[in-house]
Amino acid sequence: TIFDNAHGIPAGKKYDFIVIGSGAGGAVIANRLTENPATSVLVIEAGVSDKDQLNITVPFYTTRLSPNTPFDWNFTTVPQTHLNNRVLTYNRGFALGGSTTINSMAYTRGTIDDWDRLAKLSGDQGWSWDSIFPKYVFKNEILTPPADGHDVMENLDPAFHGTVGITGTSPPGFPTSIDDKVLVTTQELNGEFPFNHEPNSGKHLGVGWQIVTARGGERSSSSTSYLGPKFVVRPNLDIVLNTRVTRILPENGGNGDLTIRTVEYAQTADGQRQTLKASKEVILAGGVIGTPHILLHSGIGPAQTLSKLGIASLVDNPSVGGNFTDHPGISQAWFVNSTDTWELAVRDPKVAAAQLVEWEKSRTGPLTRPVQSQLGWLRLPENAKIFQQFEDPSAGPNSAHFEILFANGLSDFPTPPKGNFMSILTAVVAPLSRGFVHINSVNPFDKPVVDTNFMESEFDLFTMRESLLAARRFLKASVWKGYILEPFQHSNSETEEELNEYIRNNARPFWHGVGTASMTPEDASYGVVNPDLKLKGVKGVRVVDGSVFPLVPTAHTQAPIYILAERAADIIKKEWDL
Ligand SMILES: Cc1cc2nc3c(=O)[nH]c(=O)nc-3n(C[C@H](O)[C@H](O)[C@H](O)COP(=O)(O)OP(=O)(O)OC[C@H]3O[C@@H](n4cnc5c(N)ncnc54)[C@H](O)[C@@H]3O)c2cc1C
């Protein structure tokens, strides 16, 4: 049952597990644990309902969902020291389904290197590629035909895709006028930009099609999939919306063997605090910002900092909220010699209305597709001079340093009255800069302090510069002749300093944040959770969301989190014999 607020929870009802957050991590846990009818789960979600929201359901409307909407937490960062002191919006989903309800739907799993590195760092082989693929990947994914019904073989190798899982995936279901040109470029410039037919095979280098979490022309989020209609009818699964968890509370006042199974929550900042106790475990799945936010308010974090705020320390752990890592991204755009770009619908309400009618009638047409149809994963040259200064931070030799994405319109900038555009977005996907999530008030309804600290590392700045130049080289292929006209905005950035300035003025998050509750080996002196995702120093609490990745996967993060949560569910079931 889904309740609009906590008053809906039947008085005296007991739950085995309380899951905080319904995003990629929380929804999987809630679904898998309630497969056993004897196990009861309550999901507490701070955000709103996602029901009957066109902007959420229609894939191409994704850019309308953030920032500054009711479906976004609307976080902002502190002024970014290395980005000309700009304050960045830091988007996170504030709705059932969490960030999967507002994200851009790219489905990318990360590489063999990524998962093997996680296994090595955590000391648990269960996180290696061979352990998660195909088992947990296939439990998550159900590959479905694209909206226009074309053969999926054109875009991917079905052998690498699951067909019995829960999150719907599909190749882009509507062609754009740049798709073929991108493919032709991968032939002409195949040294630097080779075509990769199956980037989700664990070896992602090259340029290929973008697979998206969409099904039947609609977004597939953790709300529509793992918490979809056929699952929320389970009598052992309750979900409460619009309810903020403020703290998790210890038994016995925190003395002795520290056990936490009680969740404190409220509807509003000045609303009455209420509590509920799980009989087995509390699963924190509040995401990269929400999870450390709750931990810090509960006294689990750096004792010194918390004591300055007057918060009593339960567990002195300086790692909580640290190690915040994201992919910094940036867009470059060019005027093009075509009218068949997405500006057409942005400027002409009749075109926009016709697209919507088509989508409403048959779930087909331009609105079924993602913002980008193709993407690529690329490495810096082995002899790049930056490697004299830094050890290679990529996950391994088969993993990228930067990503490149192609869009048939002007991305990241407001549409000007005239002109049609193509954008190439790039992102640093093996970054060395680390930020943090902290609090500066005792009120859990106050926004946390978020610092991405982008471009603090010279390596990231170097890689971002190289990604900008690689994008320009991509357009040197002959197929773009006569199509690409002059550059938009970045026309003067040629020298290193000019490129740096373009980056400082335009870089922004890709919203793939991880690391604020990092997984480390059980005997490590740092980190927040053990490889079984149990909170260090505490009994009764696990963290299952993006915050536990100690290093950011070379991927858009939803698929890695779904996969991680699928395994986490098995770990929990095994421990409780469910
Ligand atoms: C704009 C945007 C675009 C993105 N694009 C892509 C993409 O194309 N492909 C991709 O793979 N990834 C993308 N991502 C990232 C991906 O969506 C996230 O990595 C993933 O959803 C994170 O899963 P999670 O479970 O860690 O957290 P979330 O999905 O964010 O879920 C956390 C949930 O916890 C809830 N919560 C937090 N605090 C509390 C509290 N105190 N009480 C109760 N509930 C709470 C939140 O409301 C939220 O519902 C994007 C993200 C954003 C924001």
Side-chain angles (χ1 to χ4, degrees):
T1 309
I2 301 183
F3 304 114
D4 253 352
N5 57 53
H7 303 302
I9 303 172
K13 191 155 178 189
K14 301 254 185 289
Y15 297 95
D16 294 319
F17 295 89
I18 299 178
V19 177
I20 304 169
S22 64
V28 174
I29 296 298
N31 178 304
R32 293 300 182 192
L33 295 187
T34 53
E35 282 175 337
N36 179 337
T39 305
S40 58
V41 171
L42 172 69
V43 178
I44 303 183
E45 169 55 56
V48 297
S49 169
D50 60 332
K51 212 169 176 305
D52 301 328
Q53 295 292 337
L54 207 59
N55 290 344
I56 292 174
T57 314
V58 176
F60 196 72
Y61 287 170
T62 175
T63 51
R64 300 180 178 185
L65 295 168
S66 53
N68 305 322
T69 74
F71 308 110
D72 192 332
W73 282 81
N74 300 315
F75 296 125
T76 51
T77 66
V78 298
Q80 294 296 287
T81 315
H82 310 284
L83 298 180
N84 285 342
N85 283 321
R86 281 186 301 129
V87 169
L88 308 174
T89 61
Y90 203 86
N91 305 347
R92 290 285 103 187
F94 186 70
L96 193 61
S99 300
T100 70
T101 293
I102 67 162
N103 71 16
S104 320
M105 298 167 292
Y107 174 85
T108 61
R109 297 172 186 159
T111 61
I112 297 173
D113 296 335
D114 279 312
W115 290 96
D116 287 353
R117 181 176 66 173
L118 180 63
K120 197 166 160 209
L121 284 174
S122 65
D124 177 358
Q125 271 310 304
W127 293 118
S128 68
W129 175 263
D130 285 345
S131 306
I132 62 102
F133 183 84
K135 184 174 178 183
Y136 293 114
V137 174
F138 284 12
K139 281 191 95 166
N140 167 238
E141 182 188 15
I142 174 163
L143 178 66
T144 60
D148 60 4
H150 76 255
D151 189 347
V152 292
M153 298 282 281
E154 282 176 33
N155 309 104
L156 51 79
D157 178 353
F160 285 95
H161 290 268
T163 52
V164 294
I166 296 186
T167 299
T169 62
S170 55
F174 190 82
T176 79
S177 54
I178 61 168
D179 293 358
D180 283 344
K181 293 184 173 58
V182 169
L183 294 182
V184 170
T185 306
T186 63
Q187 283 155 23
E188 184 177 328
L189 304 181
N190 68 355
E192 184 172 5
F193 306 103
F195 180 65
N196 185 341
H197 186 55
E198 186 42 273
N200 275 311
S201 64
K203 294 184 181 164
H204 69 179
L205 293 177
V207 174
W209 290 97
Q210 174 171 235
I211 307 308
V212 284
T213 44
R215 181 180 186 171
E218 298 183 1
R219 171 189 294 273
S220 178
S221 67
S222 65
S223 163
T224 65
S225 60
Y226 284 90
L227 302 177
K230 74 174 180 206
F231 300 117
V232 288
V233 292
R234 287 178 182 163
N236 54 340
L237 172 60
D238 284 342
I239 300 168
V240 54
L241 300 173
N242 304 302
T243 303
R244 184 94 52 112
V245 169
T246 45
R247 291 186 299 170
I248 49 176
L249 304 176
E251 285 169 22
N252 312 321
N255 295 323
D257 208 0
L258 185 59
T259 302
I260 297 181
R261 289 206 181 93
T262 301
V263 171
E264 181 193 73
Y265 59 90
Q267 304 296 152
T268 56
D270 47 11
Q272 203 195 342
R273 300 316 193 234
Q274 285 176 302
T275 59
L276 259 179
K277 189 173 167 182
S279 62
K280 292 191 164 70
E281 288 187 19
V282 170
I283 313 287
L284 261 171
V288 71
I289 295 180
T291 286
H293 194 219
I294 295 167
L295 288 173
L296 293 164
H297 279 289
S298 309
I300 301 167
Q304 238 186 344
T305 326
L306 294 178
S307 73
K308 281 189 200 137
L309 290 170
I311 295 176
S313 173
L314 275 185
V315 180
D316 180 14
N317 185 341
S319 297
V320 175
N323 190 39
F324 182 35
T325 314
D326 195 357
H327 297 146
I330 197 162
S331 171
Q332 297 181 92
W334 291 264
F335 288 91
V336 297
N337 184 14
S338 164
T339 51
D340 186 19
T341 65
W342 75 51
E343 282 73 40
L344 201 62
V346 175
R347 294 203 190 102
D348 186 342
K350 277 199 206 119
V351 175
Q355 290 184 348
L356 185 56
V357 168
E358 183 180 3
W359 182 86
E360 280 175 333
K361 256 182 61 203
S362 57
R363 298 293 190 267
T364 58
L367 298 186
T368 63
R369 69 175 157 81
V371 175
Q372 302 100 16
S373 308
Q374 292 141 324
L375 51 77
W377 303 95
L378 302 166
R379 282 179 69 79
L380 296 168
E382 260 168 51
N383 62 358
K385 69 173 194 293
I386 199 72
F387 293 126
Q388 293 164 12
Q389 208 181 328
F390 293 91
E391 220 177 281
D392 181 358
S394 70
N398 292 311
S399 300
H401 294 113
F402 63 91
E403 184 186 6
I404 186 164
L405 303 105
F406 307 95
N408 187 35
L410 184 62
S411 182
D412 282 42
F413 300 100
T415 307
K418 279 205 178 107
N420 289 76
F421 300 91
M422 170 180 176
S423 306
I424 301 188
L425 288 90
T426 54
V428 179
V429 292
L432 278 177
S433 306
R434 300 287 182 267
F436 62 80
V437 173
H438 245 289
I439 54 173
N440 61 3
S441 109
V442 289
N443 181 357
F445 281 79
D446 286 345
K447 293 256 164 81
V449 184
V450 177
D451 188 357
T452 62
N453 204 16
F454 281 154
M455 301 302 145
E456 186 268 336
S457 168
E458 186 59 35
F459 178 85
D460 299 356
L461 195 59
F462 177 92
T463 308
M464 189 68 111
R465 279 199 308 269
E466 288 303 310
S467 75
L468 293 174
L469 298 174
R472 296 176 192 184
R473 284 194 297 276
F474 192 87
L475 296 179
K476 293 283 181 246
S478 47
V479 69
W480 302 105
K481 234 190 182 133
Y483 185 81
I484 296 289
L485 306 173
E486 73 271 23
F488 174 78
Q489 291 224 354
H490 66 270
S491 49
N492 300 326
S493 55
E494 296 294 338
T495 65
E496 188 172 312
E497 192 37 43
E498 285 164 358
L499 288 164
N500 287 347
E501 202 48 19
Y502 185 73
I503 293 166
R504 289 187 201 114
N505 288 332
N506 294 289
R508 48 91 168 172
F510 257 34
W511 305 297
H512 296 161
V514 299
T516 51
S518 287
M519 183 198 312
T520 57
E522 208 163 331
D523 56 1
S525 58
Y526 57 94
V528 179
V529 297
N530 291 331
D532 58 5
L533 305 178
K534 281 187 184 152
L535 193 61
K536 287 179 189 284
V538 174
K539 276 191 188 150
V541 181
R542 267 181 240 251
V543 181
V544 184
D545 61 26
S547 65
V548 304
F549 281 97
L551 291 167
V552 64
T554 325
H556 299 242
T557 32
Q558 64 172 341
I561 297 168
Y562 279 131
I563 295 163
L564 173 121
E566 281 285 6
R567 177 166 184 249
D570 265 8
I571 294 174
I572 298 168
K573 281 178 167 180
K574 191 165 174 214
E575 180 161 332
W576 292 98
D577 203 13
L578 304 176

